[in-house]
């Protein structure tokens, strides 16, 4: 059973989607329940992975490999290391909350939950795929449900935002496809584990120029997804126009795929190029941190503010990855999780406001603490987490990143710290304008506080935010061995990798012009 | 000299198709008005019988008729593809002809005769025979395009295609003559042999090659010989548009590949850059043209041009891998294009409602029809798990292996461009409000059958490409 567990985890949501497909479109209540139950069972399915996972091992666990396409040899190969594990858990945790947050949706309910579940399968696939072709398939297939989620159920400018999202992502990922093919012709394999092994065994596997181009092609795809300044322009549109569940998933999981790609592909496969470009990328990340924070300051719209704050926070993640030491990388991975839940929570709360008032404009609100005390309390938790208050999730990640970056490059850490300060300014100012003071707008006087469903969402987010803040070792212990392995792959050319027996050496390593 | 049995077996599909074509023609006047619908199934039976004959043909590889005809893996593979295209076109035409009130037997007979010509093109080992096959298929399609003869647009299309097509075949014929003048032979292997030997006139061969390129480039709609495509595709009866974009294109590519990789192989270094440039130009012309279309048939016509460009990328790769990629792509392409045009043929009843905006809200009226069209469009974009993605993937792999990195990069830039116009149709179907004045009739069984087959085929090739790909790999032309 354990041998197939990972495949079960990946495809279970798709099974739920299939079930929804068979239900009549009118059975709204039943469709919602099926979606919720599917996503909850899915979350339950991922929990054993945490306990079965051996934290001491840096290799891939729960490995499954079989031939998908015989020629050129493409494997269906999936496996988990610490990095994948925590992101799979994050995905499985956020999806049921996204489903719950989508309860108010009444338009084309069947398709909505169908897309959401297909999307979950795609996201999980991205995090566990260990074959470049397979990875690309999941990476691209995921675009389509997201396109529909934004385009059909989004807000006013949804059509523009949806096509912009797809075009940006496609532009990057198609160049990555070329790089994948190039890598295949140079090495004769799509198998990621074999490629890891080859890269370690032959440091001169790729010519320097070749490695540089390949790195850039992969990097572009991931930089767009993160999004790194200046590739971020799709993000505010997509975030603002997406329905609540879409924003939660976008911020919570999709952005993480870019950072995941850097750690899984860019660094281990092209270490020399990664080191060469690290200063430039770090500079872009720094610009992103400060730019995102400054732009957040002046946003009139709650959702837009959160969206730009994501640019800032993800800048920390990239900065941490590019500092390439254990603590910064551990911090970056942890911040990915923390940002996933805290920003997911912020978007969920923004969605609750929207459900009540059909607007995201800060100026429409004010004094919400009076009619919505419970909401305001939970909202505060999310804001405080996002601005990096100790004991809450983000603090741990940001602190580790800053410490690690400080070790690597002092001035970067100093500059990045301003991002933390600014985060406190824009988030608290926004919170103040929304909840404190007198109720200035009559429309807000009679708002009802959180329903039971919303309370469940709010409590789940608050618990996990607090849990991550105080219980961070439970996760960092799982990612530590993986982090060290990745850094060894970058640093030392002859690091022995825990290899799987299935991923034998490719036939034509020398098939290289 | 009497043809031997082996000779006859090697052209058996053509014989069967011709026989059934004649039967359809002869039977037509004797049938009362109401019974004419029997002719379609009769033609279908003929096509299926020809498919059976193609199996016998494939089992007897070799030369026939004094080496005029060659039956090898390549020609057999294409015979199966072409016959399947014809069969699907016939099924998709059943209700169309009744609805448009042009239910005449010639329609099916001409389809069968056209297929004969295409089969000959795939199996010809000699330039004059290539020409004969091309003419046979072209003349049939000239008439079929103008089959809605009371419609000005249809007649205009037919006229346009006829005039330009005649020019193109004249170029081809002139090219053949020059090559014959330069090498003293019209047999493909002999041309290759003569090119290496003393006594050939390289200038004549070069000119001949250029003219062949023009003639064949016209038939596959590659730039700069693509100008006719949108007009002709728009005016033709839609099932014929589907046929035109799949069948004759595949046959022309077959002849193109065989001539250039067999007869003109020794001069590959000369024509490589021509193909390279044409591939690039074709992709850009097709995709940029499609971006600004509002008529769905014209949009799909430009997309056909773009896809010819992708095929030319594999052509430029010039390897066995590249030829296998072309063969795989022709299958994938035929499935998605036949499917897409069949949806259009159903929605645009009476050849009105061809605007993309007419598809607004199609999803809420006919969810399955919209879903099918979405699958075809995603496949045309090249989204994974569809035939189109693997087709492109194999083409690009072949091209990267041949060191054509820049061509591949520009190819994927084109793919990214194409997302915009394909998704526009998806957007209109799923995200715009339905138009109240447009009624879409329920899908008849024959159309449903074609759509099911093509949609499932598109997904099947995207998920389990192994069998077709290995068949394609076994069917490549032997390269020295």
């Amino acid at each position: 059973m354990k041998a197939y567990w990972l495949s079960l985890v990946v495809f279970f949501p798709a099974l739920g989607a299939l079930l929804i497909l068979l239900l009549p479109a009118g059975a709204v209540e039943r469709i919602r329940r099926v979606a919720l139950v599917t996503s909850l069972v899915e979350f339950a399915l991922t929990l054993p992975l945490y306990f079965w996972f051996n934290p001491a091992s840096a290799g891939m666990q729960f490995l499954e490999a079989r031939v998908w396409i015989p020629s050129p040899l493409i494997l269906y190969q999936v496996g988990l290391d610490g990095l994948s594990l925590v992101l799979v858990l994050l995905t499985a945790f956020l999806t049921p909350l996204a489903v719950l947050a989508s309860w108010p949706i009444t338009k084309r309910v069947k398709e909505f939950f169908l897309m959401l579940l297909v999307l979950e399968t795609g996201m999980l696939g991205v995090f566990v795929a260990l074959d470049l072709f397979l990875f690309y398939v999941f990476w691209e297939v995921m675009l389509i449900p997201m396109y529909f989620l934004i385009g059909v159920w989004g807000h006013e400018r949804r059509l523009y935002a949806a096509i912009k999202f797809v075009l940006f992502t496609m532009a990057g990922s198609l160049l990555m496809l070329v790089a994948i093919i190039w890598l295949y012709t140079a090495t004769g394999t799509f198998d990621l584990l074999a490629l890891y092994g080859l890269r370690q065994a032959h440091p001169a596997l790729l010519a320097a120029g070749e490695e540089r181009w390949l790195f850039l092609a992969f990097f572009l795809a991931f930089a767009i997804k993160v999004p790194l300044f200046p590739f971020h322009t799709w993000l505010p549109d997509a975030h603002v126009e997406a329905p609540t569940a879409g924003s939660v998933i976008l911020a919570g999981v999709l952005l993480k795929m870019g950072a995941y790609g850097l750690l899984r592909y860019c660094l281990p496969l092209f270490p020399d190029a990664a080191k060469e470009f690290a200063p430039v990328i770090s500079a872009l990340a720094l610009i992103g941190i400060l730019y995102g924070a400054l732009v957040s300051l002046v946003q009139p719209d709650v959702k837009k503010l959160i969206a730009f704050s994501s640019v800032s926070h993800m800048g920390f993640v990239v900065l941490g990855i590019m500092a390439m030491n254990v603590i910064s990388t551990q911090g970056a991975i942890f911040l990915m999780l923390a940002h996933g839940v805290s920003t997911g929570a912020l978007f969920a709360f923004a969605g609750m406001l929207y459900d009540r008032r059909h607007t995201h404009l800060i100026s429409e609100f004010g004094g919400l603490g009076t009619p919505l005390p419970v909401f305001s309390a939970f909202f505060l938790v999310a804001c405080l987490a996002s601005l990096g208050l100790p004991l809450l999730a983000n603090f741990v990640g940001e602190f580790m990143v800053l410490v690690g970056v400080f070790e690597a490059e002092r001035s970067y850490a100093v500059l990045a710290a301003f991002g933390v300060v600014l985060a406190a300014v824009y988030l608290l100012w926004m919170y103040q304008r929304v909840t404190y003071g007198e109720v200035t707008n009559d429309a807000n006087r009679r708002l009802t506080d959180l329903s039971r469903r919303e309370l469940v969402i709010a409590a789940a987010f608050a618990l996990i935010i607090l849990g991550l803040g105080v219980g961070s070792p439970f996760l960092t212990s799982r990612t530590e061995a993986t982090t060290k392995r990745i850094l060894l792959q970058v640093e030392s050319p002859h690091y022995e990798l825990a290899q799987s027996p299935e991923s034998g050496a490719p036939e034509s390593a020398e098939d290289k012009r | 000299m009497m043809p031997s049995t082996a000779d006859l077996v090697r052209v058996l599909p053509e014989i069967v198709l011709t026989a059934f074509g004649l039967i359809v023609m002869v039977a037509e006047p004797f049938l009362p008005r109401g019974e004419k619908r029997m002719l379609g199934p009769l033609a279908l039976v003929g096509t299926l019988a020809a498919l059976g004959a193609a199996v016998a043909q494939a089992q007897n590889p070799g030369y026939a008729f004094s080496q005029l005809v060659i039956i090898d893996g390549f020609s057999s593979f294409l015979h199966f593809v072409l016959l399947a295209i014809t069969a699907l076109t016939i099924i998709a035409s059943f209700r169309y002809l009744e609805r448009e009130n042009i239910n005449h037997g010639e329609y099916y007979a001409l389809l069968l005769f056209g297929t004969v010509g295409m089969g000959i093109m795939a199996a010809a080992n000699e330039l004059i025979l290539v020409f004969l096959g091309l003419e046979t298929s072209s003349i049939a399609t000239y008439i079929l395009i103008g089959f809605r003869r009371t419609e000005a647009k249809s007649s205009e299309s037919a006229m346009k295609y006829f005039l330009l097509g005649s020019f193109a075949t004249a170029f081809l014929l002139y090219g053949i003559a020059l090559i014959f003048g330069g090498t003293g032979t019209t047999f493909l292997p002999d041309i290759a042999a003569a090119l290496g030997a003393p006594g050939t006139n390289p200038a004549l061969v070069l000119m001949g090659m250029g003219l062949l390129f023009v003639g064949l480039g016209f038939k596959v709609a590659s730039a700069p010989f693509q100008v006719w495509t949108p007009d002709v595709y728009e005016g033709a009866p839609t099932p014929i548009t589907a046929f035109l974009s799949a069948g004759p294109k595949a046959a022309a590519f077959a002849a193109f590949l065989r001539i250039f990789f067999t007869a003109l192989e020794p001069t590959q270094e000369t024509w490589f850059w021509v193909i390279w440039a044409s591939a690039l130009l074709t992709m850009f012309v097709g995709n940029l043209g499609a971006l600004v279309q509002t008529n769905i048939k014209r949009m799909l016509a430009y997309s056909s041009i773009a896809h010819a460009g992708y095929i030319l990328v594999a052509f430029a790769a010039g390897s066995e891998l590249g030829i296998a990629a072309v063969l795989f792509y022709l299958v994938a392409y035929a499935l998605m294009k036949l499917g897409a045009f069949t949806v259009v043929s159903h929605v645009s009843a009476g050849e009105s409602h061809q605007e993309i905006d007419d598809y607004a809200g199609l999803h809420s009226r006919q969810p399955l029809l919209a879903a099918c069209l979405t699958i075809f469009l995603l496949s045309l974009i090249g989204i994974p798990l569809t035939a189109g993605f693997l087709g492109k993937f194999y083409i690009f792999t072949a091209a990267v292996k041949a060191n054509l990195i820049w061509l591949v990069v520009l190819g994927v830039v084109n793919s990214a461009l194409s997302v915009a116009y394909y998704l526009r149709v998806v957007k209109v179907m799923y995200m715009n409000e339905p138009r109240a004045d447009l009624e879409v009739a329920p899908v008849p069984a024959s159309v449903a059958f074609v759509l099911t087959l093509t949609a499932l085929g598109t997904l099947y090739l995207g998920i389990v490409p192994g069998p077709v790909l290995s068949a394609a790999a076994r069917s490549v032309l032997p390269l020295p």
Side-chain angles (χ1 to χ4, degrees), chain A residues 238-458:
Chain A
H239 269 326
V240 172
E241 299 306 324
T244 304
S247 303
V248 171
I249 297 286
L250 257 176
V253 185
L254 259 67
L255 304 192
K256 309 303 171 293
M257 286 177 183
Y260 170 83
L262 291 177
L263 286 169
R264 171 73 70 234
Y265 298 95
C266 278
L267 262 53
L269 288 179
F270 318 110
D272 295 334
K275 278 181 271 187
E276 188 185 336
F277 286 109
V280 184
I281 298 170
S282 300
L284 289 178
L286 266 180
I287 297 176
I289 291 173
L290 297 175
Y291 168 85
L294 288 172
V295 176
S296 293
L297 275 176
V298 297
Q299 291 308 316
D301 180 298
V302 180
K303 247 184 152 177
K304 247 189 178 147
L305 184 144
I306 307 170
F308 277 107
S309 84
S310 284
V311 177
S312 180
H313 285 129
M314 290 309 289
F316 276 100
V317 173
V318 175
L319 195 65
I321 292 172
M322 283 299 147
M324 295 187 204
N325 57 43
V326 175
I327 189 155
S328 75
T329 311
Q330 281 276 65
I333 297 175
F334 194 83
L335 188 56
M336 281 156 77
L337 299 179
H339 174 262
V341 294
S342 63
T343 307
L346 285 174
F347 275 121
F349 290 125
M352 291 175 193
L353 286 181
Y354 186 84
D355 289 339
R356 286 171 173 70
R357 286 290 322 280
H358 293 278
T359 177
H360 290 123
L361 283 179
I362 297 175
S363 57
E364 286 288 315
F365 302 109
L368 288 189
T370 313
L372 304 175
V374 182
F375 167 85
S376 302
F378 280 112
F379 190 35
L380 182 62
V381 173
C383 286
L384 292 177
S386 188
L387 64 83
L389 189 78
L391 285 187
L392 298 181
N394 291 42
F395 170 73
V396 184
E398 276 173 14
F399 187 75
M400 286 167 80
V401 167
L402 286 176
V403 170
V405 173
F406 193 80
E407 273 174 26
E409 182 67 61
R410 210 160 279 198
S411 55
Y412 289 175
V414 172
L415 284 170
F418 282 103
V420 186
V421 178
L422 287 171
V425 177
Y426 61 75
L427 279 165
L428 288 179
W429 191 33
M430 181 268 285
Y431 185 76
Q432 179 202 334
R433 282 178 292 164
V434 169
T435 57
Y436 289 162
E438 295 298 312
V439 181
T440 47
N441 189 332
D442 281 339
N444 293 331
R445 258 177 237 292
R446 301 194 169 279
L447 295 183
T448 48
D449 210 343
L450 298 187
S451 66
R452 259 177 42 213
R453 173 184 63 82
E454 289 169 327
L455 207 58
V456 170
I457 302 174

Side-chain angles (χ1 to χ4, degrees), chain B residues 357-376:
Chain B
D357 288 338
D358 293 330
Y359 286 70
L362 184 67
H363 136 85
S364 62
R365 297 153 184 239
Q366 302 249 353
L368 284 175
L369 203 59
C372 282
L373 187 52
T374 306
I375 290 175
F376 301 131

Side-chain angles (χ1 to χ4, degrees), chain A residues 18-101:
Chain A
L18 208 62
L19 186 60
I20 289 180
L21 188 66
L22 299 175
L23 290 173
V28 173
E29 203 49 45
R30 245 193 301 165
I31 290 168
R32 282 181 187 145
R33 292 225 176 100
V34 170
L36 183 62
V37 170
T38 306
S39 58
L40 283 173
V41 172
E42 169 69 14
F43 181 50
L45 285 177
T46 57
L47 288 179
L49 291 174
Y50 178 85
F51 295 103
W52 292 338
F53 186 82
N54 172 11
S57 157
M60 293 295 166
Q61 305 182 28
F62 310 99
L63 202 67
E64 253 185 271
R66 69 200 73 212
V67 173
W68 176 15
I69 297 168
S71 170
L73 184 66
I74 289 163
L75 301 178
Y76 170 78
Q77 178 166 260
V78 294
L80 274 184
D81 61 1
L83 175 63
S84 303
L85 174 75
V86 294
L87 289 168
V88 165
L89 288 172
L90 175 71
T91 309
F93 173 79
L94 285 177
T95 309
L97 295 177
V99 170
L100 268 180

Side-chain angles (χ1 to χ4, degrees), chain A residues 68-72 74 108 111 133 136-137 140-141 144 147-148 151-152 158-159 163 166-167 170-171 174-175 177-178 181-182 184-185 190 511 513, chain B residues 363 374 378 381-385 389-390 393-394 396-397 400-401 403 405 408-409 412 415-416 419-420 423 426-427 430-432 462-463 465-466 469:
Chain A
W68 176 15
I69 297 168
S71 170
I74 289 163
R108 291 155 75 173
E111 293 155 62
F133 185 92
Y136 185 80
V137 166
E140 284 280 279
V141 159
I144 302 304
Y147 170 72
F148 277 98
V152 177
R158 58 179 181 271
L159 298 178
I163 192 74
V166 173
L167 282 178
M170 275 292 248
L174 281 167
L175 288 178
L177 178 65
V178 179
I181 295 174
W182 188 346
Y184 167 74
T185 45
F190 288 109
D511 178 26
R513 286 168 309 277
Chain B
H363 136 85
T374 306
L378 293 181
I381 297 177
I383 296 288
L385 302 184
F389 170 66
L390 276 158
F393 173 74
Y394 291 132
F396 291 151
T397 305
V400 171
K401 277 218 162 137
N403 251 334
I405 300 282
V408 172
V409 169
V412 300
S415 288
V419 174
L423 276 189
V426 176
K427 181 209 87 174
Y430 283 87
M431 299 168 197
N432 286 12
I463 297 167
L469 188 72

Side-chain angles (χ1 to χ4, degrees), chain B residues 96 99 238 341-350 359 366 369 440-444 447 451:
Chain B
Y96 178 86
R99 202 181 61 199
T238 314
F341 275 119
T342 304
V343 174
V344 172
S345 151
H346 178 71
V347 175
S348 308
Y359 286 70
Q366 302 249 353
L369 203 59
V440 180
V443 179
V447 172
L451 289 179

